[in-house]
Amino acid sequence: MYLNTLICLEENVAGYGKSNKNPSGHVTIMSPGIIKCYVQNLRDIPGEYTVYLISKSQNKAIRLGNLNTEDGNKQTTWKVDLDNLEGTGVKGKDIDCVAIVVEGESIGKTDTVLIGYTKDKYLITTMLESALPKRPTKPTSPAIPITKPVIKPTIKPTEPEENCECEPCGCGCEEQPGMNKPAKPGEGPGPVIIPTPDS
């Protein structure tokens, strides 16, 4: 099947014209598998102008590639498979819209600078969003729990009173002043003997 489709492009978002002129252009899709895009009066930008082919019947947008950016008048040619455009399964005869896009981080930051249809106009936002390159998300730092320092109470050791002759008994307690100490073998007085009266 011979194919020769012409789609004229019109300005869709202002601000990209060169020397206060409105940008315009056209795209041809032709056998045996050639797509040509010509635009004029586009100003140079830090990024790229990207061509998208869109099919309403297939509910799909296809990212074709970037335009040449050597000067204000830009023409780019691609060689494609008209039976399977960019491996999507969409055929060249299904294309009924072309958009020249400045891609952003999301669809809300993406500008459709030029757009053209073969027939009636329709909304392309959903299809274009699905075809935009996926931007890597910025990694987020893991949350760090806030910990309060544990303050341990300071326990001061008990100092013995001055002139205290008590000694620890070995059971973990301390003898208090005035308590009788058991006599050690060989030390101190022996047992007290109470005399009994003579009978």
Side-chain angles (χ1 to χ4, degrees):
M1 178 180 176
Y2 182 78
L3 185 66
N4 188 11
T5 302
L6 175 65
I7 301 177
C8 294
L9 303 173
E10 299 178 351
E11 184 180 36
N12 185 65
V13 174
Y16 290 92
K18 184 178 182 180
S19 302
N20 296 323
K21 296 180 180 180
N22 294 333
S24 61
H26 63 267
V27 174
T28 56
I29 305 173
M30 64 185 73
S31 299
I34 300 294
I35 297 179
K36 292 183 179 181
C37 179
Y38 174 80
V39 294
Q40 59 184 0
N41 300 324
L42 274 179
R43 67 178 177 86
D44 291 332
I45 59 173
E48 301 282 353
Y49 294 101
T50 305
V51 180
Y52 280 82
L53 309 175
I54 303 165
S55 171
K56 183 179 181 181
S57 63
Q58 301 298 315
N59 193 34
K60 188 170 290 186
I62 302 168
R63 190 178 189 272
L64 184 60
N66 296 332
L67 291 176
N68 293 331
T69 56
E70 295 179 357
D71 52 36
N73 299 327
K74 311 174 192 300
Q75 178 171 309
T76 309
T77 301
W78 292 270
K79 187 175 182 180
V80 298
D81 181 359
L82 293 178
D83 290 327
N84 186 15
L85 289 170
E86 300 299 300
T88 61
V90 178
K91 296 183 179 181
K93 64 182 182 63
D94 296 324
I95 300 302
D96 55 6
C97 175
V98 175
I100 309 298
V101 169
V102 176
E103 298 171 337
E105 295 180 355
S106 63
I107 190 64
K109 297 181 179 180
T110 296
D111 286 341
T112 302
V113 180
L114 295 169
I115 194 169
Y117 302 87
T118 58
K119 295 180 181 179
D120 298 333
K121 296 180 180 181
Y122 58 88
L123 192 63
I124 67 169
T125 305
T126 303
M127 291 178 282
L128 185 60
E129 182 178 14
S130 64
L132 287 174
K134 305 302 179 185
R135 306 284 180 175
T137 57
K138 296 180 180 180
T140 57
S141 300
I144 301 175
I146 299 175
T147 57
K148 295 182 179 180
V150 178
I151 301 176
K152 296 183 179 180
T154 303
I155 301 176
K156 295 183 178 180
T158 305
E159 296 181 358
E161 297 181 3
E162 294 182 0
N163 302 323
C164 177
E165 298 179 355
C166 61
E167 295 180 0
C169 64
C171 65
C173 65
E174 293 184 357
E175 297 181 10
Q176 300 298 322
M179 293 180 61
N180 294 327
K181 296 188 297 180
K184 296 181 181 179
E187 293 183 2
V192 177
I193 300 175
I194 300 174
T196 56
D198 295 334
S199 53

